[in-house]
Amino acid sequence: MNFKEINPSPRLLMCPGPTDADPRVLRAMSAHILGQFDPEFLDLMAETQEMARRVFQTANHQTYVVDTTSRGGLETVLTGAICPGDKVLIPAFGRFGYLLSEILERCGAEITLLEREWGTVFEPDEIEAELKKGGYKAVACIHGETSTSMMQPMEEIGKLCKKYDALLIVDTVATLGGVDIRVDEWGIDGCIAGTQKCISAPSGSALITYNKKIEDIILARKKVEKGIRTDTDVDGTLPGIPSNYLDLAQLQDYWGPRHLNHHTEATCMQYGVHEALRCILLEGLQERFARHILNDKALTAGLEAMGLTIFGDIKNKMPVVTAINIPEGIDGPTLRGQMLNEFGIEVATSFGPLDGKIIRIGNMGYSSQKRNILFTLGALEAVLIRNHVKVPAGDAVQAALEVYQNA
């Protein structure tokens, strides 16, 4: 039997993740494999940590990579920082807020779920009203909710958490590397991101950072494996972390000066993360954020010129994801299928109450380029016209070009 050679069809990933990886990242991932404790590789790990601090805009010592997907990164930080019985507030305004609840329920936390209509975000006073009741160990929330394209302002929430002595743990999976995120300035205690969105590397690694408050909790839950512990290792006083693989206490030692053996590092993926972070810093954070904002303005202008309506509260829309209401005359599977099959462009549907009602277009990382925005608008217009949806031919691309010209 002959098996297929890996030779995927060329695609343009204009969905909310995964997105196109920077070619420099893919080249880096093909380099020679080093042993995980080779001095050259340890130097690379240290550089990765420092670059990640700059992208997170933090001075946190505990900033590193976990060999897992974004969801695994969330689970790592949440199950490490939150003990059974801890009271956690989760403001949910889309699918992934419910994911935080799902993770924390499984590790025995006491959850209070605030819910908002999908397409909106929370006002600070809504969160403060709940925090005033007291007893909360943490607030866990989403920064960029890709299911709805909404982005929750974080600075005021950080101030509220400090006021009420609660940890703030934030999912920036969809926004880190494409949006200005200031971990220290906003008072974020723990922050998690993935590599497959604005970071522009393949899925498979999670970037995490957390401060001394969370580190102290982790150390109080520490338990070193019997096979590698020494006489100096002392178990913590708090309940142990339930996962071995996602054990922050051991991961700290793995990435720290001790380099205590925990798992075999995903060497090639580390090369990719290192190169992706290097490319971000080479471009410049502010320049990168400005690029995403400009391309978002051009995309939005083109969609509106087509007569399409942007979903949700436009004031709080993410610059890296845009959701549109599917117009009458075409359904979501047909629209997405023809975009993919005729033009090789992938866009996404949504979940739950929005499934079949909106289409989500990503504008993330390496995919966030002028030519990709123009190509996507032209393809979308062609698909709509072919399905007899009345749109003004040619106006979308011209509106986007006008934005670029004025910029």
Side-chain angles (χ1 to χ4, degrees), residues 71 75 78-80 82-86 88 90 98-111 221 240-243 246:
R71 182 178 295 228
E75 190 160 342
L78 290 170
T79 59
I82 305 301
C83 295
D86 283 346
V88 182
I90 301 177
Y98 297 111
L99 171 61
L100 302 182
S101 178
E102 166 77 13
I103 292 170
L104 285 168
E105 284 172 359
R106 288 179 181 228
C107 65
E110 183 184 334
I111 307 299
R221 304 184 72 183
I241 295 170
S243 172
L246 303 179

Side-chain angles (χ1 to χ4, degrees), residues 21-49 51 65 67 195 199-202 204-205 207 255 265-280:
D22 192 308
R24 292 171 290 183
V25 169
L26 299 179
R27 287 197 296 270
M29 293 180 71
S30 67
H32 291 294
I33 295 175
L34 292 171
Q36 60 182 340
F37 299 117
D38 187 306
E40 284 188 32
F41 191 71
L42 296 179
D43 287 345
L44 181 149
M45 289 173 69
E47 285 191 2
T48 299
Q49 287 182 277
M51 289 191 290
V65 180
D67 291 337
T195 50
I199 300 296
S200 295
S205 288
L207 292 158
W255 278 85
E265 189 56 41
T267 309
C268 295
M269 194 63 202
Q270 282 295 328
Y271 294 163
V273 176
H274 182 282
E275 183 64 10
L277 294 172
R278 192 188 72 85
C279 291
I280 291 172

